[in-house]
Amino acid sequence: MLLKIVLGFLCGVTALASQNDTAQQGPLPLLLVSFDGFRADYLKRFPMPNLKLLHSQGVLVEQLTNVFITKTFPNHYSLVTGLYTESHGMLANNMYDPISHKHFHIGNNTDPMWWSEAQPLWVTALRYGYKTAAMMWPGSDVIIGNRTATHFFHYNPSVTFQQRVGNVTNWMLGNETEQGVKFAALYWEEPDRSGHMYGPDNATAMGKALKEVDDNIGLLMSELKRTGLWGRVNILVTSDHGMAQCSAERLIRLDDCLHPDNYTLVDLTPVAALIPLKDPEAVFALLKKCHPHMTAYLKRAIPDRLHYRNNERIQPIILIADEGWTIVRRGNKLPRLGDHGYDNALPSMHPFLAAVGPSFRRGYRISSLQSVDIYPLMCHLLSVPPQPNNGTLNHSRCLLAAETCWDVPLVIGLVVGVLLVLTTITVLFRFLSHRRHLSGPRPFQRLQIEDDDDDDPLLQ
Ligand code: AMP
Ligand code: ZN
Ligand code: ZN
């Protein structure tokens, strides 16, 4: 009897402990990694064996339609908020706020004011009770909504990828005293730096830069395997934008069109932001006919599809250069051989997305997705209620193993195939019955004629 009671007690305790374990474990940890400036077609143009191995075990989205403007800070903030730039307020790498009269620059970016129109996922998940980490992700060392991620580093480009990964995996693992983080974001500067320096068309230089990026992906995978995290966490590997080839033959000089006294320049290329100092309509009229490869917009006329109008920090006039064109004030000096920031409809501006882990499908590939759709997917994976956002979970949920989704091209192919077969059968059936109809009465007619012939003498 006593034995029974002890056994029952032990069973009860074990059951309770395992229940608690499951409750404590909750959703699987999620790691979001960005390789800055990884243009989608690099994956086709360069070998990248580690990245290919990674996505072959999970999901590949060949092209991610990112947000305008296709710059680093705006797009990284969209990835972790699911918002277009006009809604999260991180509108460019250089900004001016007409209310506070403050200036933002990529090298001077830690004033919370610029980031506080939105809430990044590392803060939302933290508020929800999880520990989070953000390693050099734009905005991660800024106090947003009075919080930073549980773990973060101040931005320092000389911290190696290995050091970054080492810290992130330690944070994800946790220890006896501290729970592991549920959400971690990790940023790396390449291949953006090489893309600017050599241009994306320089196959030799980009081949070398992308070999290093791929080695880093290999390092990330082996570190996750070594620590036992591989297979126990969900991983998203992506980027903020692509890269276009620029050239000194494609320069647009503002001084050729109007005197610099007419405006204050807030941002320059490939999207220039101007505050007119004289009659705005007159300044606009000059800029409108300035160059065939540059489009000038008054703020109110910026196309809806760019989602780049409804924010105080968008200046009264913006100029958008065509792909590969560079706006300068004057002179013949090309600042960079590669650039981005252009229209987000351009394939050269698009990055990719690879996803691997227990929650993702294996060997699945789709051609495109909106980058704002990643945020609701991440919230879903973490079971965190999403903040208001511009993304749609229904667009990205097909990446998940638990979802049964129709492959749209396959379904269209099947429907067209079935329709073709049915049409062929119908046509064939009609043709045959028509032939039978034609060949049927003929012998009867001939018989009639023969009968007539026989009748002739009677008629006479
Ligand atoms: P861009 O290519 O102009 O959009 O900016 C990308 C560059 O911004 C990268 O090459 C980094 O060197 C730099 N960068 C990235 N994150 C930060 C940060 N948190 N603070 C300052 N600079 C950064
Ligand atoms: Zn970037
Ligand atoms: Zn860049």
Side-chain angles (χ1 to χ4, degrees):
M1 185 63 187
L2 184 71
L3 189 71
K4 258 189 173 176
I5 294 170
V6 172
L7 276 176
F9 176 74
L10 282 177
C11 284
V13 168
T14 324
L16 241 166
S18 80
Q19 253 179 26
N20 273 348
D21 270 3
T22 332
Q24 263 177 17
Q25 276 166 9
L28 294 174
L30 174 65
L31 171 61
L32 171 68
V33 187
S34 168
F35 290 93
D36 196 321
F38 195 120
R39 176 172 150 161
D41 73 355
Y42 288 161
L43 202 44
K44 291 195 178 119
R45 285 173 52 207
F46 299 96
M48 312 293 304
N50 289 312
L51 181 52
K52 281 178 186 152
L53 179 67
L54 182 129
H55 76 69
S56 70
Q57 296 173 32
V59 172
L60 175 68
V61 179
E62 289 171 355
Q63 286 207 12
L64 212 54
T65 307
N66 47 355
V67 299
F68 186 77
I69 66 173
T70 51
K71 285 276 189 187
T72 297
F73 275 41
N75 270 281
H76 275 97
Y77 214 38
S78 289
L79 284 168
V80 293
T81 60
L83 292 166
Y84 296 124
T85 54
E86 68 177 1
S87 303
H88 65 52
M90 189 47 56
L91 290 142
N93 285 352
N94 299 294
M95 292 182 282
Y96 168 70
D97 184 83
I99 299 163
S100 62
H101 301 289
K102 286 183 183 175
H103 288 268
F104 175 94
H105 184 262
I106 193 161
N108 170 24
N109 62 59
T110 51
D111 183 338
M113 179 206 96
W114 299 101
W115 303 87
S116 300
E117 289 181 13
Q119 191 181 89
L121 185 51
W122 62 77
V123 173
T124 313
L126 196 68
R127 293 221 159 117
Y128 198 65
Y130 295 141
K131 298 215 178 288
T132 61
M135 173 59 91
M136 312 255 175
W137 195 274
S140 57
D141 50 359
V142 183
I143 300 160
I144 305 168
N146 291 324
R147 309 291 291 262
T148 60
T150 319
H151 307 280
F152 70 94
F153 269 28
H154 285 287
Y155 183 67
N156 177 0
S158 44
V159 177
T160 65
F161 188 77
Q162 193 162 12
Q163 289 167 326
R164 297 185 197 192
V165 169
N167 280 284
V168 166
T169 47
N170 280 340
W171 294 332
M172 292 192 94
L173 282 170
N175 53 41
E176 309 80 47
T177 51
E178 196 161 20
Q179 231 185 333
V181 305
K182 276 287 181 216
F183 172 68
L186 166 62
Y187 169 82
W188 182 242
E189 286 83 356
E190 285 283 18
D192 179 77
R193 204 161 34 192
S194 300
H196 284 299
M197 207 179 296
Y198 306 108
D201 291 354
N202 184 333
T204 315
M206 289 316 294
K208 191 164 169 286
L210 287 159
K211 158 102 182 47
E212 281 170 19
V213 166
D214 193 62
D215 287 347
N216 283 337
I217 294 171
L219 191 150
L220 171 73
M221 287 164 78
S222 39
E223 192 58 15
L224 290 169
K225 282 175 186 164
R226 190 187 66 76
T227 53
L229 286 167
W230 184 264
R232 292 202 292 122
V233 298
N234 289 312
I235 306 155
L236 292 168
V237 177
T238 189
S239 181
D240 49 351
H241 52 71
M243 189 69 68
Q245 182 68 40
C246 302
S247 76
E249 290 73 47
R250 290 181 298 197
L251 283 178
I252 300 163
R253 295 174 194 82
L254 291 182
D255 280 9
D256 289 353
C257 302
L258 81 170
H259 194 276
D261 284 356
N262 285 291
Y263 62 90
T264 298
L265 202 57
V266 175
D267 202 7
L268 186 54
T269 194
V271 180
L274 281 80
I275 307 169
L277 298 175
K278 309 213 167 132
D279 175 17
E281 296 292 336
V283 171
F284 176 69
L286 288 171
L287 288 165
K288 201 168 145 58
K289 56 178 190 319
C290 180
H291 197 283
H293 289 287
M294 181 178 82
T295 311
Y297 292 105
L298 282 171
K299 180 173 176 174
R300 62 169 182 271
I302 299 173
D304 288 346
R305 68 177 184 85
L306 295 175
H307 303 284
Y308 200 79
R309 197 170 48 222
N310 299 308
N311 197 294
E312 290 289 344
R313 298 172 193 162
I314 297 170
Q315 304 308 329
I317 297 175
I318 69 159
L319 313 171
I320 308 179
D322 283 355
E323 184 178 15
W325 286 80
T326 304
I327 306 172
V328 292
R329 276 182 183 269
R330 62 192 74 89
N332 296 319
K333 197 170 171 295
L334 182 71
R336 285 173 289 275
L337 271 170
D339 212 354
H340 54 89
Y342 302 97
D343 192 331
N344 62 328
L346 292 165
S348 65
M349 289 300 104
H350 295 166
F352 74 102
L353 170 74
V356 68
S359 304
F360 292 106
R361 292 171 82 168
R362 289 175 69 91
Y364 184 63
R365 190 183 273 246
I366 55 168
S367 56
S368 64
L369 187 72
Q370 305 277 326
S371 68
V372 289
D373 296 331
I374 297 177
Y375 172 79
L377 180 73
M378 292 194 294
C379 292
H380 176 78
L381 285 168
L382 292 169
S383 301
V384 166
Q387 294 288 298
N389 67 84
N390 299 117
T392 308
L393 178 59
N394 268 345
H395 295 165
S396 48
R397 73 180 331 144
C398 286
L399 311 192
L400 299 171
E403 300 289 327
T404 35
C405 287
W406 292 99
D407 186 342
V408 176
L410 187 75
V411 171
I412 294 175
L414 276 174
V415 170
V416 170
V418 167
L419 282 176
L420 267 174
V421 170
L422 284 177
T423 317
T424 315
I425 291 172
T426 315
V427 169
L428 216 72
F429 182 75
R430 286 208 171 159
F431 175 73
L432 285 175
S433 60
H434 184 63
R435 271 192 63 173
R436 207 177 308 133
H437 178 72
L438 280 179
S439 57
R442 244 184 236 137
F444 183 65
Q445 276 171 351
R446 216 183 306 130
L447 272 176
Q448 265 190 335
I449 291 161
E450 278 167 13
D451 279 357
D452 284 356
D453 284 352
D454 288 350
D455 288 351
D456 275 357
L458 286 176
L459 285 172
Q460 278 171 352

